[in-house]
Amino acid sequence: MKITSILGTIAAALLLTACQPGPKAGKVDAARLIAAETDTGNWMSYGRTYSEQRYSPLTKVNTETVGKLGVAWHYEFDTDRGQEATPLMVDGTVYTTTSWSKVFAFDAKTGALKWSYDPKVDGKRGFSACCDVVNRGVAVWNGTVFVGALDGRLIALDAATGKVKWSTVTFDQSKPYTITGAPRVIKGKVLIGNGGAEYGVRGYISAYDAASGKLAWRFYTTPNPEGKPDGAASDKVLAEKANKTWFGEGWKKTGGGGTVWDAMAYDPDLDILYIGTGNGSPWNRIKRSDGKGDNLFLSSIVALKPDTGAYVWHYQTTPGESWDYTATQHIMLAELNIGGKARKVVMQAPKNGFFYVLDRASGELLSADKYIPITWATGVDLKTGRPIETPGARYETNPALAIPAPYGGHNWQPMAYSPKEGLVYIPAMSVPFGYVNDTKYIHKQGAWNVGIDTLATALPDGNAAKAAIKAMMKGHLIAWDPVAKKARWTVEHPYFWNAGVLATAGDLVFQGSAGGEFVAYNAKTGAKVWSYQAGNGIIAAPSTYSIDGEQYVAIMVGYGGAAPLAANFALPDRPRLPGRLLVFKIGGTDKVAAFPAPEKMTIDLAGVSSKGSAKEGFALYHQNCAVCHGPNASGTYLPNLKTSQMLLTEDNWKSVVIDGARQPMGMISFKQFLTPAQAESIRAYVLSEAVKAKAEDAAAMATNK
Ligand code: CA
C-alpha cells in the first residue's frame, strides 16, 4: 500500500470519527436497562438499575484494597450551590449535573471534558426552590441525555455533542414549581415530576415521548381544585378514591401539594412504575383541609402502569399529612425472605420515621418500623396500615415539639441496599421541630405557605441554649435489616445533614459527610476502613463504574440543600465553595488543590442606624426571610446578612429587598410581600442581630486571650 493511500485511509477514518461521533454515545435501550444488574461496568440510570438499589457488583475496590484509593481525576465546576447529582457512566462517558441544572460529559477514564450544557435558568426561579437550586442528575436513552431544568423545562441533549434535540416546558411557569429530580426513562418515555408544595402547587408526574418530546400522559396526585376532570390518567382514580378525602377551601388556593419531586422505581416483570408523593400544601391540615381527611394521594407510594399512567395501587404513609412528612424519598425494589417466603417488595424510609416494606404487586403492607426514635406516632397498625398517632401531635390546640422535623428522618439523600448483606443503608437524621398552628395564616401567592407559626423557629438567646438545640440535631448512617426490622449497626455523625450512600460487592458502603469527609465503611460492621477529606461538605450519593479492569468511584462534592439554607447555625461554618467531581481508583495520583482559606467578612457598624422597628422586624424576618437566611439572621450559606454591605444604609437594603438588585442570584424583589417601611424594620432587626454578634465575637476573643 502506498503511503498516500495509508494517509488517505487514516484521514478518512479520522473524518468518519469526527463526523459521526454520535452512534456510540449514550446508546442505552430497554434491554440494557432491564439487564443493568449484570452490566457491572456501567451505571446507566439514577439508581444504577430499575430497582434503584445503588448496589454495584464490582469488587476490585474492597475492604482489602480500599486503603490504596486515590483521586484518578477531578473537575471543578462554576457553581457553588448544593451538588446533589449522581454521576452516570455509559460506555466510557460520565454524565453529571450541577446546581442551576447544568450538564457535563467527561471521558470516564481521563476526566477530559467532552461537552457541557448550560440551560441558563433565570435566577429568579431560585426563589421558588425551597431546598436550594440543586439538580440530582440526568437520564440517558438512545443517544440522548435528558435533564429537568429548575425552571420546568425537560431538555433532550445529543449524548455525543450536548446539542439540544428538543426542549419542552413541563409546568405552568407562572406558578412556583421547580424541578430538581433526575428523569427516568421507561420503554421510550421520559418521566419527570416537580416540586413546590411549600409555596402552593398541585403535584403531578408527566411522561414524554423520548424521541419527540410530546406529552404521553400525566398523573395528578391531588384533586382538581375546580372540581372538574383534567383529561389526565388520574381522572378516574381521583374521582373514585381521592376527591372525597379533601375538605374546605385551603387546598384549592394552593393545589394541595403531593409533588412527585424525587423517587421512582420500575419493575419490568410486573410492568409497574412506583412513584413517591410529597407533603400537603400548606403543611398544616387545619389550614389545608379543615383539619380532616386523609387527603389522597399526599405522602404516598403510588403504583402506575408506565405506558398509560393508569393507577394500580397506592399506600399512604402519613394520612392527613401535617408535618411536611413527604413520601418522595428513595423507593427501592428487592427480594426478601420474609417468614420463609421469597417476597418481591418495595422499600422506603420516608420522612415520617417508619421503614416500610410492601408487596410489590399488591401494595400489601408487610412491615413498618421506626428507623429512628420519633414522637408523632407510636407505631403502625399492620391491619389497617395506618399510623397510631400520639395525642396532640397535630398541634391543633397546643404547640408540639416533634421528631422528625420537616427535614425528615430521611430526606432525598439516596439509600443503598446490599443483597449480599441483606441491609439497607439509610442516611438518617433525628431533628426536633416546634410545630405551631399559625392562627393568622393567609395564603400569599407564590410565598412560603405552610400554615406554621414561623416565630416558633426563632433561636433562643444565649450560646448555651443554642448549643443545646444544636446537640439535639443528629445525623446517622443506619444499616437497617428489613427482615429483622432493626438496625444492625449505626454510625453517628457530628452534623445532621449528610450525604447519599453507595453499597458494593467489595463489602463497602461509601458516604460523604457535612464535614467533607468521604468515607468507606465495612458493609458488615460499620467500621471505617478509608476516608478522604474533600475540603467541602458532601450531600450527593456516589456511583461506581469500571473501564479496562479498573474500578472508579465518583462523587459530587458541594454542600447545600434545605438544611444549609434554614439551619446553617447547626452545620459547619464554611463559605460556599465551587462544586467538584472527584473520581477515585486504586493507586490514583491526581493532585487536587486545597480550597482557598475563607476570608472573614466584617463591616463597620459604627454610626449605622435604622428608623425601623426591630421588634416588628423580628416577626417579619421570621415570616419572610428565615427559611433561606436562617433563624435570627444566623445563615451564612446565602450571603451573611449580618456582615453584608446591604445592611449599612437604608438605600442599600431597599435596592435588594424591594427593588430586586440581586434577582439573578435568586433574591427576588419582596415588593409583593413587604412595604418599604416593613423592609426597613427587617433591616433594623438584622442590624440588632449584627451588633449582638459583634459583641459576642469580642467577648469570645477576650475569653480566648
Ligand atoms: Ca416539603
Side-chain angles (χ1 to χ4, degrees), residues 7 33 53 94 132 167 170 179 208 309 328 335 348 382 441 465 471 493 524 569 582 600 626-627:
L7 287 177
L33 280 184
Q53 289 182 358
V94 165
D132 207 356
S167 172
T170 67
I179 297 179
Y208 291 87
T328 37
E335 284 192 33
Q348 192 190 42
L382 291 183
Y441 170 80
H493 290 306
K524 288 182 202 304
F569 66 90
L582 302 181
K600 181 123 175 100
V627 71

Side-chain angles (χ1 to χ4, degrees), residues 296-612:
L296 291 172
F297 294 100
L298 298 184
S299 305
S300 302
I301 297 172
V302 184
L304 304 173
K305 295 303 273 185
D307 289 329
T308 58
Y311 167 93
V312 183
W313 58 257
H314 80 276
Y315 175 76
Q316 190 174 40
T317 62
T318 312
E321 194 287 302
S322 213
W323 306 267
D324 190 18
Y325 289 169
T326 66
T328 37
Q329 281 58 49
H330 190 171
I331 293 172
M332 57 164 66
L333 312 181
E335 284 192 33
L336 299 181
N337 192 304
I338 298 172
K341 224 173 118 188
R343 300 290 299 249
K344 291 185 174 216
V345 302
V346 175
M347 300 192 283
Q348 192 190 42
K351 279 190 185 178
N352 75 9
F354 288 103
F355 189 91
Y356 294 88
V357 181
L358 300 148
D359 181 277
R360 215 189 286 170
S362 65
E364 178 197 350
L365 177 66
L366 301 176
S367 64
D369 296 272
K370 296 175 187 178
Y371 60 90
I372 53 156
I374 63 168
T375 63
W376 75 278
T378 55
V380 175
D381 181 333
L382 291 183
K383 284 200 192 74
T384 62
R386 299 179 72 88
I388 304 150
E389 290 181 19
T390 311
R394 288 185 177 272
Y395 55 96
E396 284 158 324
T397 47
N398 293 304
L401 186 71
I403 300 175
Y407 300 111
H410 164 230
N411 206 302
W412 65 269
Q413 286 90 336
M415 314 186 291
Y417 172 68
S418 166
K420 201 172 162 184
E421 297 301 324
L423 292 175
V424 180
Y425 303 94
I426 313 170
M429 297 170 274
S430 308
V431 180
F433 186 84
Y435 290 89
V436 181
N437 179 20
D438 181 2
T439 53
K440 297 194 198 91
Y441 170 80
I442 43 155
H443 175 73
K444 285 193 272 181
Q445 188 62 42
W448 188 251
N449 285 300
V450 296
I452 301 284
D453 188 343
T454 45
L455 295 188
T457 63
L459 294 170
D461 279 335
N463 287 337
K466 285 189 187 79
I469 288 195
K470 197 168 157 176
M472 284 194 279
M473 303 168 87
K474 293 174 186 152
H476 338 270
L477 173 61
I478 300 172
W480 183 261
D481 183 332
V483 177
K485 300 178 279 187
K486 61 179 186 190
R488 197 183 297 166
W489 54 258
T490 300
V491 169
E492 299 299 337
H493 290 306
Y495 300 98
F496 78 93
W497 186 251
N498 298 291
V501 179
L502 162 72
T504 76
D507 299 328
L508 295 170
V509 173
F510 287 90
Q511 189 194 22
S513 73
E517 223 189 349
F518 185 42
V519 180
Y521 299 95
N522 182 309
K524 288 182 202 304
T525 65
K528 189 198 272 189
V529 289
W530 171 84
S531 76
Y532 175 91
Q533 177 50 249
N536 188 6
I538 304 171
I539 48 172
S543 57
T544 186
Y545 58 86
S546 79
I547 298 175
D548 299 338
E550 272 188 307
Q551 185 183 352
Y552 297 79
V553 179
I555 180 77
M556 295 289 287
V557 175
Y559 209 50
L565 287 165
N568 212 46
F569 66 90
L571 298 169
D573 188 14
R574 187 199 294 111
R576 289 213 313 271
L577 295 165
R580 285 176 174 176
L581 170 59
L582 302 181
V583 179
F584 297 84
K585 67 172 183 180
I586 301 293
T589 56
D590 186 24
K591 296 269 181 294
V592 184
F595 287 106
E599 274 177 67
K600 181 123 175 100
M601 303 288 284
T602 54
I603 50 170
D604 185 0
L605 294 174
V608 179
S609 67
S610 166
K611 59 181 191 299

Side-chain angles (χ1 to χ4, degrees), residues 104 130 201 208 262 305 399 429 565 665 680:
F104 293 78
C130 66
V201 298
Y208 291 87
D262 192 54
K305 295 303 273 185
M429 297 170 274
L565 287 165
M665 277 78 96
E680 181 58 15

Side-chain angles (χ1 to χ4, degrees), residues 626-639:
V627 71
C628 287
H629 290 278
N632 304 67
S634 60
T636 54
Y637 180 71
L638 295 186

